[in-house]
Amino acid sequence: MFEAIAFYFFSAILIASAVMVIAARNPVHSVLFLILSFFNAAGLFVLLGAEFLAMILIVVYVGAVAVLFLFVVMMLDIDFAELKRGSLQYLPFGALVGLILVAELVMAGSVWVLKPAVVAAKASATPAGVTNTVALGRILYTDYVYYFQIAGLVLLVAMIGAIVLTLRSRPGVRRQVISVQNARTAAMAVDMHDLKPGEGA
Amino acid sequence: MQLANFLSGLGWNHSLAWFVSQFVLILIFDVVLLVMIAYLLLADRKIWAAVQMRRGPNVVGPFGLLQTFADLFKFLFKEVIIPAGANKVIFMIAPLITVTLAFAGWAVVPMQEHWVVSDINVGILYLFAMSSLGVYGIIMAGWASNSKYPFLSALRAAAQMVSYEVSIGFVIITVLLFAGSLNLSDIVRAQAGTGILPHWYVFSILFPMLPIFFVSALAETNRPPFDLVEAESELVAGFFVEYSSTPFLLFFLGEYLSIVLMCAMCSILFLGGWLPPLNIAPFTWVPGIIWFLLKICFFFFMFAMVKAMVPRYRYDQLMRLGWKVFLPTSLLWVVLTAGWVLFVRPHL
């Protein structure tokens, strides 16, 4: 009974907040609603028994990605009323894209034929005897290890690309070099002079 | 659990009995936690005072034992002030989020063998998730206040907490590689050892990870020397400049709850949680929860001493420490630990 209540609770909030992401007038509110919908999706994962995915969803998307998202959106000064003006003329195009996506989803859900082995393995978030973290690890690091590595490389390339794009070396900037500071001794820093009275340095 | 069985015996629906007993358990746990926080807060101030050769709070009650409760009522009876320019809903939600997340993390902390509110398989990930969500309370508060200092503080908090989460994550990975489980109770049991000496992870090749975890925990909870988020000399008081009375109290409470949670995490991951220091008679008589609380108090003392003794970091130094020192070290240690677990440990 509680599972059903929890399911409807999470799903209702998930859908409502997903709608609010595009309906909210303030971009910061949109991001906060996005976070709320991530959170409820994680709740649905937990109900399915996929607790590892739920936690990873929260750690990666909510804990890191959405923070940076919020960080950027907070600093922008966007007038959304200005942006939304003339959105009506793009509406047919948007509706077309949406329709194509829905059609594809329906096709993927209905026309797709799965191998019998896959059908047997489907819908078992918690295989018998192992926790789903172990089960995921066993599949990810054996059968799909190359895909896993390729995904990692793609991320690495993206990271290096982002760094290269934003790296600039400005001349005349004094940087702190800790090793140089630590290597500095009294002999290097202090210069002793024996001054006579009335002569100065 | 016993309450659930009792209620089922009275003819209650099983799931309803479970729900009610779990609710009562959580309520008791939280009240005990709050009282503990009240005295740890006093201890913090006393330690701080002792380092500065002051007396600390000593007026309310004997030795100032009731000082925290006096402060509590002071906060409760003050008027809540919401700035006119603030985004009111988010302004009020922010402290609630902070304190709720800080409480939620405690759900998976095992106090003793089988003494845990929720013994889930991914306990350590859950704790990590809850501590990384803590940044939202601060960002939302800073943004909703609609004022310069809180906003700057929110930006600092976002960058700082995301940076130090990375090294905390890697330290957690080394520990769970060693323990082979994400369940906190299993991690503690894996440190039990076989002989008289326990096999606490601080005494294994994971020992350099404890200082890294400890310092990252300081940064993650915005404790001095990493309290750039609320640096008084630059940002007045940071993200809670505009907060008063009960919302302020909630921030304060959430901050201390997450600090003590970090102390608990340190002792579970590295000092063997509820396990006694030696597996011989006088030590094993003491209940595990006492050992666990002693370890928490030890780490809390360390937190307090750091606050009293270390000057605040500059922001670029904070970032340098996080990204250029802790990240490579902990990443290297993940590789080393994985190699150790795979190639060396089976032959020991």
Side-chain angles (χ1 to χ4, degrees):
Chain A
M1 182 183 73
F2 282 112
E3 271 184 24
I5 294 175
F7 172 76
Y8 286 114
F9 180 75
F10 284 135
S11 328
I13 296 183
L14 174 59
I15 293 171
S17 55
V19 169
M20 287 307 290
V21 172
I22 47 174
R25 287 183 160 269
N26 191 326
V28 173
H29 291 177
S30 287
V31 179
L32 291 176
F33 276 116
L34 184 69
I35 291 160
L36 186 62
S37 59
F38 279 144
F39 218 81
N40 285 286
L44 288 178
F45 271 134
V46 169
L47 283 183
L48 279 173
E51 70 256 1
F52 182 75
L53 279 182
M55 291 306 146
I56 289 298
L57 181 71
I58 291 186
V59 170
V60 175
Y61 283 91
V62 183
V65 176
V67 171
L68 298 180
F69 222 66
L70 196 60
F71 190 91
V72 173
V73 169
M74 270 190 338
M75 288 197 286
L76 299 177
D77 187 21
I78 312 174
D79 185 5
F80 251 56
E82 185 75 23
L83 270 181
K84 279 187 177 164
R85 189 182 299 157
S87 65
L88 215 59
Q89 71 189 84
Y90 298 113
L91 194 64
F93 186 68
L96 183 69
V97 172
L99 266 179
I100 291 172
L101 276 179
V102 168
E104 281 176 351
L105 271 180
V106 169
M107 275 168 66
S110 57
V111 185
W112 202 284
V113 182
L114 295 170
K115 277 186 193 169
V118 178
V119 172
K122 214 172 66 174
S124 59
T126 50
V130 290
T131 64
N132 68 48
T133 315
V134 176
L136 265 179
R138 281 187 189 160
I139 296 176
L140 207 56
Y141 294 111
T142 53
D143 298 348
Y144 297 100
V145 64
Y146 293 119
Y147 299 101
F148 187 70
Q149 294 284 349
I150 290 169
L153 282 178
V154 169
L155 282 178
L156 181 67
V157 169
M159 190 178 83
I160 293 174
I163 292 172
V164 168
L165 282 177
T166 54
L167 186 70
R168 53 183 181 138
S169 52
R170 283 175 297 175
V173 177
R174 299 177 65 183
R175 289 186 195 286
Q176 183 181 25
V177 184
I178 305 268
S179 53
V180 172
Q181 283 185 350
N182 285 339
R184 197 170 142 102
T185 58
M188 294 160 71
V190 182
D191 206 8
M192 297 298 283
H193 289 276
D194 194 13
L195 295 183
K196 303 242 161 31
E199 284 186 11
Chain B
M1 269 302 98
Q2 265 135 25
L3 184 67
N5 292 337
F6 173 70
L7 290 176
S8 303
L10 286 180
W12 283 39
N13 183 337
H14 178 72
S15 54
L16 191 66
W18 177 83
F19 187 80
V20 170
S21 70
Q22 206 69 3
F23 189 79
V24 171
L25 175 69
I26 291 170
L27 209 61
I28 294 171
F29 187 80
D30 283 354
V31 169
V32 171
L33 203 58
L34 280 178
V35 174
M36 195 173 102
I37 293 291
Y39 284 101
L40 280 175
L41 189 57
L42 183 72
D44 193 31
R45 296 172 69 175
K46 283 284 192 186
I47 293 166
W48 205 8
V51 172
Q52 298 169 348
M53 300 176 86
R54 293 184 285 117
R55 282 176 187 277
N58 64 346
V59 175
V60 188
F63 310 109
L65 280 177
L66 300 176
Q67 178 67 46
T68 314
F69 298 98
D71 289 344
L72 168 77
F73 287 114
K74 181 188 78 180
F75 283 128
L76 287 181
F77 291 141
K78 276 190 169 182
E79 184 191 356
V80 182
I81 298 168
I82 302 178
N87 196 317
K88 289 185 185 56
V89 178
I90 295 183
F91 187 81
M92 292 316 282
I93 287 178
L96 288 179
I97 284 186
T98 304
V99 80
T100 313
L101 288 172
F103 268 120
W106 280 92
V108 293
V109 175
M111 293 286 148
Q112 197 177 330
E113 184 89 46
H114 306 305
W115 274 32
V116 50
V117 175
S118 173
D119 196 17
I120 58 175
N121 285 328
V122 288
I124 187 84
L125 273 180
Y126 176 83
L127 266 187
F128 185 51
M130 289 305 134
S131 72
S132 67
L133 290 185
V135 67
Y136 279 110
I138 296 178
I139 296 188
M140 284 164 72
W143 181 78
S145 297
N146 199 6
S147 158
K148 285 190 190 67
Y149 291 127
F151 187 66
L152 284 173
S153 161
L155 294 185
R156 283 185 176 188
Q160 173 177 341
M161 291 170 88
V162 168
S163 312
Y164 279 85
E165 254 157 46
V166 182
S167 57
I168 285 190
F170 279 125
V171 172
I172 286 176
I173 289 176
T174 62
V175 171
L176 59 91
L177 275 174
F178 234 68
S181 171
L182 280 83
N183 184 313
L184 287 169
S185 304
D186 285 345
I187 289 173
V188 173
R189 278 185 216 113
Q191 300 177 45
T194 45
I196 293 176
L197 285 175
H199 182 239
W200 292 359
Y201 287 156
V202 69
F203 302 128
S204 68
I205 64 156
L206 294 182
F207 71 94
M209 290 297 101
L210 177 59
I212 289 190
F213 188 82
F214 183 76
V215 176
S216 304
L218 286 173
E220 181 78 4
T221 51
N222 302 318
R223 276 288 278 198
F226 304 112
D227 62 339
L228 294 242
V229 171
E230 51 200 74
E232 301 92 339
S233 49
E234 308 146 29
L235 298 181
V236 190
F239 61 96
F240 48 61
V241 171
E242 307 290 350
Y243 282 85
S244 58
S245 83
T246 317
F248 176 81
L249 173 73
L250 291 181
F251 271 126
F252 206 61
L253 182 63
E255 191 173 311
Y256 271 87
L257 273 171
S258 51
I259 287 166
V260 182
L261 183 64
M262 280 295 175
C263 297
M265 256 174 111
C266 282
S267 48
I268 287 173
L269 297 182
F270 294 100
L271 286 191
W274 67 75
L275 297 170
L278 290 172
N279 286 329
I280 47 174
F283 295 105
T284 47
W285 292 341
V286 179
I289 188 164
I290 305 285
W291 288 123
F292 188 53
L293 288 179
L294 278 177
K295 285 165 188 171
I296 289 182
C297 290
F298 167 72
F299 278 112
F300 192 80
F301 178 73
M302 301 286 279
F303 264 74
M305 287 305 274
V306 170
K307 178 178 180 172
M309 295 190 306
V310 185
R312 184 177 294 132
Y313 260 57
R314 215 171 55 201
Y315 203 75
D316 62 318
Q317 292 174 334
L318 172 94
M319 284 296 154
R320 177 186 164 271
L321 186 69
W323 288 106
K324 292 189 182 169
V325 181
F326 282 178
L327 176 63
T329 316
S330 53
L331 192 56
L332 175 72
W333 224 263
V334 169
V335 177
L336 280 182
T337 314
W340 175 277
V341 169
L342 199 59
F343 298 116
V344 182
R345 202 166 65 172
H347 305 296
L348 283 181

